[in-house]
Amino acid sequence: MKRLFGSSKPKKPTTNERRNQSTRWQKHPRFWLLLFCVILIVILGNNVNLVSAQSDRSLKEQEDQLIREYTLPSAPTQTPVYKPLPPSPPKNKKPSAPATRKLIGPQPPPQQPQSPPRKPTPRPQTPEKPKPQPESEPKVRESVTSETETPDQPRAKPRAKSPTIKEEETTTTEALPTAEYILQFNRSPVVGNRFRLRGIYSTARLGFTRPQGWKITASKALIRYQHSPALIASRSNLTVQVNGTSIGSIPLNRKQSQIGQALFSIPARLIQDYNDLTIVVQQQNDEKCSDPSDATLWTEVLPDSELQFEYQPQPIPLNFSRYPYPFFDQLSLDANKIVYLLPKVNDDWLIAASRLQAALGRQAEFRPIETSLVKDIEDLDFGDRAVIIGTPATQPTLKDLDLPFPIIKNQILDGNKTALPEDIGVLILTTTLDGAVPVLVVTGNGSEGVAKAAQFLVQPDTKKLGTGQAILVNSLKDVPAPPLREWKGFLPTKDSFKLSDIKTQENGEPLQEIAVRGAGAPPVQIDFRPLPDDEFTRGSSMNLRYSYGPQVNPRTSAVEVLLDGVFIGGARLTSEDGATNKKLNVDLPANLMNRLTSTSKLEVAFRLNPREPGECGKVTDQQLTGTVHPDTSFKLNRQQSVQLPDLKLLQSGYPFAAPQDLSNTAIVVPDAPTKTDLLTMLAFSERLGRLSKADSVKISAYTTASLPPEVRKTNNLVAIGTRDQFPLPEALTKEAGGFGLGSAFSRQSDRASIQTLPDDGGTIKEIISPDNPERVVLALSAQTENGLERVRQIISKDSWFFQLKKDTVLVSSNQENTSTYDPDAYKLDFLNRAPTTRRIENTSLLGKIARILQDNWIFLPGGILAIALLLYGISQLYLKRLSDQKSH
């Protein structure tokens, strides 16, 4: 056994053998390390598998992150600089606009009548010095102007030669072009046709801004005025102040109310971004004592008074940290001009353009925007802001621009000359050749990249990250849609809330204490905007908390509460020593609450009069104060109930702006849309942007063929186009809405059917969606392009848009060339013809019963009579049966 198996006692190694074994350990360290790892794995067992999986995932995430961080090209040697040039008025034409510009520096050379128009051209890849070309009248193209804009404003015309401007700054030796801008008072709705000041001492204020990029060199105020002939010249005067600093005063000494004018010089240092021009008049018609209520104490500042500015436009380095400037300037005195370069229309361009326009509408709020479309970048004019959306394949013009990313074979390359993936968005700021037009490029190598780049700009939180000339959007987190009834700037959805829970529309901050001072103090105005689907019942109330100062006259002083100018409650101010934190419970009438709109105001007016009457009309009233406290509380009895279709609800954006990110709204245009179709789409997107506030924009847009069936069924739809190419023709039939547009210029209704020659009117019509009774379809249509243009103007202009009501609007005009600023330019006829209506409500059973009784009140007397007869018959039958039982 010992021979067969050997000895069981191990043999001791010799010294040489031990040395050789030690050498083997040193020669094979990897083997032993591997053996150690195997033993460790056996010991740890399943736990090692978990740790290994987590390590693999972590390694993969790091690899993915490295893959997504692409190599950028070398930084450009020069930052693109936008060089705005001052425009000059058209030749042989006197500007008729209330705001004009003219050159007062070196004039351009004489115009060559036979020369082609000079237009901004793209910046080439290799720097070349452009040759100056003669100028001519700018080309007229289709455009749309939203909000208020100067009528007949001359389009900016390029100068034939401009001075050289350095990249970042200008030196004192450079002669920048100087221009003059005239701003007339009648552009302000405060002025209108007259600016009247009454009484012994009266003030009036007019606000104006200084556009970014303006260096004011000189400014003046030309005041044209007219005053009462009863004023005493030695005791009556007019003073002009700018931002609280007086710039001059004149006596009111005109005879027989003759028109006078005075020119006041405004120091350039006084002009800020936001400015107040204050006109103060002191008027006396008696040497001893003038009656402040005397009707002869008046002075009028005429609406053709004006502010005159001399300025130098400064070069503007383009940087995404300033976006949306210079494409949109909040301080601009003119309409911001946005021009889209039109490619072959597809869904990618439609969605990106509509979302960008909606985001600009939110940024603009009440400020004007003029939107245009061009097919060639050569058609751009000075003063335009160009936007190019699409891949290099759909926008070949990108190859001709000076971009930091090379484009080869319709592919955008990174710093390693490798094509970017299709899901990477690319944003670039550049200019045309001479820097006269800034260009925003929203692109990528695929539709997903273009959509991601556009979405980056419409989300406020992500937009703040932008800087530099170019941005690669690698990843973008989707912002979830807000709740349907979460509307910023509207009343809280809770039935009980405080004044501090209401947010201001300007900055979204909660309301704090609001104080007023003086005998003629303006009322405290609070935006009181219920949600469009709110319906109020009896029992709503307001618990006002207020304070007032001492020395008020308790016999004539009071606090009043008004709702849209209607008095709903008040109380006397009874304490001569003032009072703190007083309470006043005010009932909010249901009939008034249900008439509130998106512009409604709740006013708290302090009627403060001093204890001692003033002498000779001079009243010392600055010690009189009134304060509204933020713990003022509201209790509202309301329910969610609204009936559709109703175009009046469109004034607040409902139902298209629910939720506020517009994710439930889709716009549909024809398969081959015209410029009018696309501009109408942009106008409606901009309008929804002005009416909504959210952290994202998710409105969609499609052509007729590409509209997904699920979107058609689940979304509110806006169909745009003339009748021949209307995307949803069933919406224009008489059966769908009681009014229809037919072939051969026919109009149909329940009562008549006619044909017109021609039909230049427009139609705005809302119906319940045939695919989903919870959704609506808005039709913006006409028989001709001219009629659709009028519909677009109605959507764009506040003065017309906020007149919409009922379910159908017919737009017509007796003028061939209508002016969008003429209040009589269009005629609107409102119809209620919808055969199908739908009430969307979320109420209790008792509320539904009350709603049924309200809607069918005409049958209520007959129903009561029928029930009474039924009860009478039952009672008689019961009594007869009782009598029969007794007789037996």
Side-chain angles (χ1 to χ4, degrees):
M1 292 291 293
K2 290 183 179 179
R3 289 180 182 175
L4 182 61
F5 299 104
S7 176
S8 61
K9 184 177 181 180
K11 181 180 180 181
K12 293 183 179 181
T14 62
T15 305
N16 292 334
E17 289 175 347
R18 287 196 297 269
R19 186 181 298 110
N20 292 338
Q21 290 176 1
S22 177
T23 304
R24 293 190 196 101
W25 278 82
Q26 296 176 358
K27 289 183 178 179
H28 304 284
R30 297 180 180 176
F31 171 78
W32 298 108
L33 181 61
L34 180 61
L35 181 62
F36 175 76
C37 292
V38 171
I39 295 173
L40 184 62
I41 292 173
V42 173
I43 293 174
L44 297 179
N46 293 336
N47 294 334
V48 174
N49 294 333
L50 179 61
V51 174
S52 178
Q54 292 176 350
S55 301
D56 291 343
R57 284 197 299 268
S58 178
L59 181 61
K60 188 175 184 304
E61 291 175 358
Q62 294 177 3
E63 291 176 351
D64 291 342
Q65 185 176 1
L66 291 175
I67 291 173
R68 303 297 286 185
E69 294 177 356
Y70 301 97
T71 303
L72 298 177
S74 58
T77 56
Q78 290 186 352
T79 302
V81 178
Y82 167 43
K83 306 171 186 176
L85 295 179
S88 58
K91 195 174 183 180
N92 298 329
K93 181 180 179 181
K94 184 178 179 180
S96 59
T100 59
R101 289 173 173 149
K102 63 179 180 180
L103 294 174
I104 61 175
Q107 298 298 309
Q111 189 178 30
Q112 300 294 333
Q114 300 298 330
S115 301
R118 175 183 182 265
K119 297 171 183 175
T121 54
R123 298 169 62 184
Q125 298 287 352
T126 57
E128 297 179 2
K129 185 176 181 181
K131 297 180 180 180
Q133 300 179 7
E135 63 181 5
S136 65
E137 291 296 329
K139 183 177 180 180
V140 178
R141 65 173 187 274
E142 294 187 58
S143 64
V144 56
T145 304
S146 62
E147 301 303 316
T148 55
E149 182 199 0
T150 303
D152 302 327
Q153 181 178 339
R155 178 173 289 279
K157 188 170 63 175
R159 292 172 52 123
K161 185 177 181 181
S162 61
T164 304
I165 302 178
K166 291 186 178 181
E167 174 190 354
E168 295 286 349
E169 59 184 4
T170 57
T171 62
T172 56
T173 59
E174 293 175 338
L176 291 174
T178 304
E180 183 182 80
Y181 188 95
I182 299 176
L183 176 65
Q184 290 190 346
F185 283 15
N186 60 4
R187 288 185 61 181
S188 172
V190 177
V191 178
N193 294 325
R194 63 178 183 176
F195 208 16
R196 174 163 288 194
L197 301 97
R198 297 178 179 273
I200 293 177
Y201 184 86
S202 180
T203 63
R205 289 180 173 85
L206 185 68
F208 64 95
T209 59
R210 176 187 60 188
Q212 300 183 57
W214 275 23
K215 182 180 179 181
I216 302 292
T217 58
S219 56
K220 299 176 182 179
L222 177 64
I223 306 299
R224 290 172 50 80
Y225 62 94
Q226 191 175 13
H227 63 80
S228 170
L231 298 185
I232 300 175
S234 60
R235 303 189 62 191
S236 304
N237 56 70
L238 180 148
T239 303
V240 179
Q241 300 175 353
V242 174
N243 295 330
T245 302
S246 297
I247 59 174
S249 181
I250 57 172
L252 299 176
N253 56 5
R254 308 297 294 179
K255 302 296 184 181
Q256 298 178 354
S257 298
Q258 293 179 348
I259 296 176
Q261 68 178 30
L263 187 64
F264 300 88
S265 178
I266 305 175
R269 58 181 174 81
L270 292 181
I271 304 298
Q272 306 170 4
D273 287 346
Y274 294 93
N275 306 276
D276 279 327
L277 177 73
T278 305
I279 299 176
V280 183
V281 294
Q282 185 172 359
Q283 305 173 119
Q284 298 286 345
N285 59 0
D286 190 279
E287 291 289 350
K288 295 182 180 180
C289 184
S290 300
D291 182 4
S293 62
D294 193 337
T296 61
L297 296 177
W298 62 267
T299 297
E300 285 188 359
V301 177
L302 302 184
D304 56 349
S305 301
E306 60 190 30
L307 293 171
Q308 303 172 358
F309 301 101
E310 294 180 12
Y311 70 97
Q312 294 175 336
Q314 303 296 299
I316 304 165
L318 299 180
N319 194 300
F320 273 107
S321 62
R322 303 176 183 175
Y323 183 84
Y325 183 76
F327 300 92
F328 178 82
D329 183 4
Q330 291 184 341
L331 304 178
S332 178
L333 295 173
D334 293 323
N336 291 272
K337 301 176 182 178
I338 306 297
V339 183
Y340 290 90
L341 183 62
L342 188 61
K344 183 178 180 181
V345 176
N346 54 31
D347 290 348
D348 300 334
W349 188 91
L350 292 174
I351 294 175
S354 60
R355 292 183 179 182
L356 280 177
Q357 193 70 14
L360 288 174
R362 284 183 181 171
Q363 186 78 24
E365 294 180 337
F366 58 87
R367 302 172 184 88
I369 296 179
E370 181 181 312
T371 308
S372 305
L373 295 171
V374 295
K375 293 185 177 180
D376 194 333
I377 200 171
E378 295 289 335
D379 295 333
L380 292 173
D381 291 327
F382 287 88
D384 290 340
R385 278 81 165 159
V387 180
I388 302 179
I389 302 173
T391 64
T394 59
Q395 294 282 15
T397 304
L398 294 177
K399 303 175 184 177
D400 301 327
L401 295 175
D402 185 9
L403 304 179
F405 293 92
I407 299 178
I408 299 179
K409 295 182 179 180
N410 291 331
Q411 293 290 308
I412 304 174
L413 309 182
D414 63 4
N416 292 332
K417 307 300 181 182
T418 303
L420 295 172
E422 294 185 356
D423 63 339
I424 298 298
V426 182
L427 294 167
I428 303 173
L429 293 178
T430 186
T431 66
T432 50
L433 172 65
D434 43 17
V437 176
V439 180
L440 170 63
V441 178
V442 182
T443 184
N445 284 334
S447 58
E448 187 177 351
V450 174
K452 189 179 292 184
Q455 196 66 25
F456 175 86
L457 294 178
V458 303
Q459 297 182 178
D461 290 340
T462 59
K463 185 179 65 175
K464 297 176 183 177
L465 301 175
T467 188
Q469 178 194 358
I471 296 175
L472 285 182
V473 185
N474 299 331
S475 62
L476 192 64
K477 184 178 180 180
D478 182 57
V479 178
L484 287 175
R485 292 172 54 79
E486 186 178 300
W487 290 37
K488 296 181 180 180
F490 285 73
L491 295 180
T493 55
K494 299 181 297 183
D495 290 340
S496 298
F497 57 91
K498 294 184 177 180
L499 183 63
S500 56
D501 296 327
I502 301 177
K503 306 296 177 60
T504 60
Q505 296 190 52
E506 292 76 13
N507 51 21
E509 297 294 329
L511 290 174
Q512 302 297 329
E513 283 91 357
I514 307 175
V516 294
R517 182 183 297 273
V524 175
Q525 290 191 342
I526 302 168
D527 290 327
F528 207 71
R529 310 168 63 198
L531 293 175
D533 57 354
D534 276 343
E535 183 180 61
F536 295 90
T537 58
R538 294 180 180 180
S540 299
S541 63
M542 168 188 178
N543 191 11
L544 175 65
R545 298 269 187 167
Y546 66 98
S547 301
Y548 59 94
Q551 298 187 12
V552 300
N553 187 341
R555 297 182 57 189
T556 58
S557 300
V559 59
E560 299 175 355
V561 181
L562 302 97
L563 191 59
D564 277 349
V566 179
F567 175 83
I568 58 175
R572 289 177 53 194
L573 305 181
T574 57
S575 176
E576 296 182 357
D577 298 328
T580 303
N581 207 15
K582 295 281 290 182
K583 298 180 182 179
L584 174 63
N585 189 269
V586 179
D587 178 64
L588 300 175
N591 60 333
L592 286 179
M593 295 290 288
N594 286 322
R595 294 206 300 264
L596 296 181
T597 64
S598 58
T599 59
S600 293
K601 301 284 185 182
L602 180 70
E603 297 179 335
V604 179
F606 288 92
R607 312 302 183 190
L608 304 173
N609 295 307
R611 291 173 54 188
E612 301 296 334
E615 295 182 0
C616 210
K618 297 179 181 178
V619 179
T620 305
D621 61 352
Q622 291 305 297
Q623 79 280 4
L624 305 178
T625 61
T627 304
V628 177
H629 297 291
D631 56 349
T632 296
S633 60
F634 299 87
K635 182 181 178 181
L636 304 181
N637 290 339
R638 54 182 170 176
Q639 57 190 6
Q640 180 184 352
S641 180
V642 64
Q643 184 168 333
L644 296 173
D646 186 358
L647 288 175
K648 189 175 181 62
L649 296 172
L650 186 60
Q651 296 181 14
S652 58
Y654 189 85
F656 303 96
Q660 289 277 278
D661 65 349
L662 312 179
S663 55
N664 278 354
T665 298
I667 301 176
V668 191
V669 297
D671 291 330
T674 64
K675 280 189 175 182
T676 308
D677 297 334
L678 297 177
L679 287 173
T680 306
M681 178 198 74
L682 294 175
F684 189 81
S685 300
E686 179 188 324
R687 175 58 64 183
L688 286 184
R690 294 178 186 270
L691 296 174
S692 63
K693 292 182 180 179
D695 295 332
S696 182
V697 179
K698 295 184 179 179
I699 191 172
S700 302
Y702 305 93
T703 59
T704 305
S706 63
L707 178 63
E710 61 274 10
V711 172
R712 178 167 182 164
K713 185 175 181 180
T714 60
N715 286 30
N716 295 304
L717 301 180
V718 181
I720 299 173
T722 57
R723 192 206 62 83
D724 292 338
Q725 298 184 353
F726 196 70
L728 304 175
E730 62 273 15
L732 295 181
T733 60
K734 179 184 66 174
E735 293 74 18
F739 173 84
L741 296 178
S743 58
F745 296 105
S746 65
R747 291 187 170 194
Q748 305 163 356
S749 70
D750 298 336
R751 303 172 182 175
S753 178
I754 64 171
Q755 286 182 277
T756 62
L757 184 67
D759 184 357
D760 289 333
T763 301
I764 302 175
K765 179 181 178 183
E766 185 175 280
I767 64 171
I768 299 297
S769 174
D771 301 300
N772 187 346
E774 300 291 332
R775 297 288 183 259
V776 299
V777 175
L778 179 66
L780 307 179
S781 184
Q783 293 280 11
T784 61
E785 291 286 322
N786 191 23
L788 188 59
E789 164 68 20
R790 292 173 176 174
V791 171
R792 181 178 65 177
Q793 294 293 340
I794 299 300
I795 296 296
S796 301
K797 303 299 179 183
D798 282 354
S799 57
W800 299 103
F801 177 78
F802 288 104
Q803 295 183 33
L804 299 182
K805 58 184 178 181
K806 299 187 177 181
D807 57 58
T808 304
V809 180
L810 303 182
V811 185
S812 59
S813 175
N814 295 327
Q815 305 176 17
E816 183 176 355
N817 298 317
T818 57
S819 172
T820 58
Y821 304 96
D822 183 0
D824 300 322
Y826 299 104
K827 179 185 177 183
L828 303 183
D829 293 318
F830 305 101
L831 306 176
N832 244 342
R833 292 290 187 268
T836 304
T837 60
R838 173 76 175 179
R839 178 164 292 278
I840 300 175
E841 59 184 356
N842 182 15
T843 62
S844 62
L845 178 60
L846 184 60
K848 292 181 179 179
I849 295 175
R851 165 61 56 190
I852 294 174
L853 293 177
Q854 290 178 8
D855 292 342
N856 301 279
W857 64 269
I858 194 171
F859 301 107
L860 189 59
I864 294 174
L865 180 60
I867 294 174
L869 292 175
L870 179 63
L871 293 176
Y872 176 77
I874 294 174
S875 63
Q876 290 299 318
L877 181 63
Y878 178 73
L879 292 175
K880 181 179 180 181
R881 182 173 299 180
L882 286 177
S883 62
D884 292 341
Q885 290 178 356
K886 290 180 179 180
S887 62
H888 290 292

